[in-house]
Amino acid sequence: MAKLLRPEYLYTAAQVREIDRQAVELEGIPAGTLMARAGEATLALLRTLWPRARRPVAVCGSGNNGGDGYVLARRAKEAGLAPLVLAVGRPDQGAARAAFEACAQAGVEIRDFDRGVPDDADAIVDALLGTGLTRDVGGAHLAAIAAINRAARPVLAVDVPSGLNADTGGVMGAGVRADATMTFIGAKVGLYTGAGPELAGRIYLDDLDVPDAVYAATTPAARRIAFEWLATLFRPRARHGHKGDYGRVLVVGGGETMPGAARLCGEAACRAGAGLVTVAAHPSSVAAVAAARAELIVHGVAQPADLAPLVRAADVIAIGPGLGRDVWAQRLFGAVLDARRPLVVDADALNLLAAELQERADWILTPHPGEAARLLDCAAREVQADRMGATRALAGRFGGVVVLKGAGTLVAGNAKDPIALCDRGNPGMASGGMGDLLTGVLAGLAAQGMGLYEAACAGVWAHAAAGDDAARGGEAGLLASDLLPYLRARLHSLHVDGLPPSR
């Protein structure tokens, strides 16, 4: 039965095809049986989501995705509904051809797609392209996608919305905007990153009764960052603990006219549980930072020599928020790199790094797509077209841990750590200061002794989940500082036994 899930493991299309192949060849499950299960499960979901729909219109391609649609249409007819199939090509072999013939024999109305979806459609089933897409859509497929999007009817996508790259979350020229997606056997990475969350709507997974043993031979492409896993990384604080036990964070930033970013970063490190947080800022920014948050220790730093004693006292350094790119910033950036302390590198520090490429194991880099593009010497659209590939490339080039921010934030560490994906967060978080907040959270967790990869995963999740909590009052106008009380609550839920708030 389909479940609305946040699955732990995510797969590429090729990996799911391999699991499918093993189910057929090693477990003896006929391909037609898997297709029948897929079509029947999709119909069951459609009737659950839209129980009053009497005239479902399935837009079917010529491949196995279309075969699932033909099964659905036949079963809908047998259930007393009035389905219509709009065919973009006809299947000519295999299980899909058999599904087409059975659909026709059952008396389902099948038309060649010409211009659009009829006005009497109650719901649309997108069974056009599926996961096998390798180039931009065109011709009749492009016209069909446009017609589905124009129809203003509920849309249920089969496996993935047509036009969405199942591996990267990129849009292959155009994509169906679905209200829900029924995916099969394994959840595809592309549904959860890039354009995937916007196109897929609510995601449901049905394993089609493939035995668990079939999955054992395939290493998932990514792991979703889940509360249950993160909670194993945290322990309640000792009753006799003191501030020295919980780490010292140094924030280097707050250049001239930019005190706010460093203050947000420092406060987030405090809220993440760091014992002591110091901000090293330009002398002109000291008063603004100190006045905004009394718990921060603020030092004016005019030159690298002023930074030296602060660096020696730090367990982790966060550099970048409000740093700027002037001579002052460049000198401080060089001094921090020479200090050989674990780092969280963000904002302008990433732009400085792009001009002075280095590799090291003891840092977390936190680029958004534009900064990632500068680090990889490519265009931001190339990063967004293959976020998984870009994350791997950044980790390979710079070492350490990479956090590629955006819809479906990705975390990559060394080869033994799976790429982790965060499916929390919302568009309201596209506002100034959110990245500074995340940098402080990561530094605060790392300062308490957590490994950099684990700190990155936990910090990304807590930051995004807090953003969702804060957005309950509306996404537009959401401020970075609005997250702070929710951030503390989310991290607290990881420290104690019990369930997280509003899971």
Side-chain angles (χ1 to χ4, degrees):
M1 182 177 178
K3 298 177 182 178
L4 179 60
L5 292 179
R6 295 179 182 274
E8 182 175 4
Y9 296 112
L10 308 176
Y11 298 86
T12 65
Q15 288 177 321
V16 173
R17 283 194 292 272
E18 176 60 17
I19 294 169
D20 186 294
R21 184 193 67 79
Q22 291 191 33
V24 172
E25 297 182 4
L26 302 182
E27 295 295 325
I29 304 173
T33 298
L34 292 174
M35 184 171 289
R37 291 173 182 172
E40 291 163 4
T42 307
L43 176 62
L45 178 60
L46 185 148
R47 301 194 74 182
T48 298
L49 296 177
W50 304 294
R52 295 185 180 182
R54 308 298 299 169
R55 179 67 160 168
V57 173
V59 183
C60 294
S62 59
N64 286 341
N65 196 246
D68 298 338
Y70 283 112
V71 171
L72 177 145
R74 175 170 61 86
R75 291 301 194 190
K77 177 78 170 179
E78 294 169 355
L81 305 183
L84 168 66
V85 172
L86 298 180
V88 182
R90 303 290 176 98
D92 59 8
Q93 60 182 351
R97 179 66 186 183
F100 163 73
E101 291 174 348
C103 186
Q105 290 168 7
V108 174
E109 184 181 2
I110 301 174
R111 303 179 195 168
D112 288 332
F113 172 83
D114 50 10
R115 286 172 293 182
V117 176
D119 291 340
D120 63 349
D122 293 319
I124 301 171
V125 176
D126 165 28
L128 188 61
L129 290 170
T131 64
L133 191 62
T134 58
R135 61 179 183 275
D136 284 359
V137 294
H141 293 107
L142 182 60
I145 290 172
I148 292 170
N149 289 338
R150 279 198 311 269
R153 296 291 188 275
V155 177
L156 176 57
V158 177
D159 214 10
V160 298
S162 292
L164 178 72
N165 188 301
D167 294 345
T168 68
V171 178
M172 309 294 281
V176 166
R177 294 181 178 273
D179 296 279
T181 296
M182 168 64 89
T183 197
F184 307 118
I185 298 180
K188 285 73 181 175
V189 176
L191 293 171
Y192 295 88
T193 192
E198 182 175 359
L199 295 189
R202 291 166 290 174
I203 301 168
Y204 296 79
L205 172 67
D206 195 302
D207 63 11
L208 306 184
D209 293 329
V210 171
D212 290 345
V214 177
Y215 291 83
T218 302
T219 301
R223 178 179 191 173
R224 186 183 64 83
I225 302 174
F227 172 87
E228 292 78 8
W229 167 53
L230 295 179
T232 67
L233 307 177
F234 287 78
R235 294 291 181 273
R237 288 194 167 197
R239 295 298 90 192
H240 60 277
H242 59 84
K243 62 188 178 184
D245 293 331
Y246 300 113
R248 294 170 170 81
V249 172
L250 173 63
V251 177
V252 180
E256 287 188 274
T257 75
M258 294 186 289
R263 174 250 157 167
L264 281 170
C265 181
E267 183 167 358
C270 290
R271 296 296 187 183
L276 288 168
V277 180
T278 300
V279 176
H282 191 277
S284 65
S285 294
V286 168
V289 177
R293 177 50 62 193
E295 292 84 354
L296 296 174
I297 305 165
V298 189
H299 288 266
V301 174
Q303 56 190 349
D306 301 333
L307 194 62
L310 307 180
V311 166
R312 285 195 295 270
D315 296 307
V316 174
I317 302 173
I319 182 166
L323 183 67
R325 297 188 229 179
D326 58 13
V327 173
W328 175 83
Q330 293 173 32
R331 289 175 176 169
L332 263 60
F333 179 66
V336 167
L337 291 182
D338 291 342
R340 312 313 298 180
R341 290 286 191 279
L343 306 177
V344 182
V345 184
D346 186 32
D348 284 322
L350 291 169
N351 295 320
L352 294 174
L353 179 62
E356 187 181 339
L357 301 183
Q358 296 192 34
E359 179 179 355
R360 55 192 288 175
D362 61 344
W363 59 14
I364 303 174
L365 308 183
T366 63
H368 59 54
E371 292 159 345
R374 286 187 281 278
L375 290 168
L376 294 173
D377 193 23
C378 66
R381 65 178 179 276
E382 296 176 70
V383 172
Q384 288 295 82
D386 186 2
R387 289 172 54 81
M388 287 277 287
T391 306
R392 290 192 193 95
L394 287 165
R397 180 174 296 186
F398 294 95
V401 176
V402 172
V403 174
L404 179 58
K405 295 182 288 195
T409 291
L410 298 169
V411 181
N414 58 42
K416 71 177 179 62
D417 296 318
I419 287 185
L421 183 147
C422 180
D423 61 350
R424 303 297 182 108
N426 64 83
M429 297 175 72
S431 65
M434 289 291 178
D436 305 314
L437 214 65
L438 176 61
T439 296
V441 174
L442 304 186
L445 293 176
Q448 294 171 72
M450 189 174 286
L452 295 184
Y453 175 77
E454 290 77 12
C457 290
V460 163
W461 178 88
H463 176 261
D468 289 340
D469 295 338
R472 288 183 191 135
E475 293 178 354
L478 187 65
L479 302 180
S481 56
D482 294 338
L483 272 62
L484 287 166
Y486 299 104
L487 176 65
R488 183 181 174 205
R490 284 290 180 172
L491 288 169
H492 173 69
S493 74
L494 294 170
H495 278 282
V496 299
D497 293 332
L499 298 177
S502 304
R503 220 154 135 209

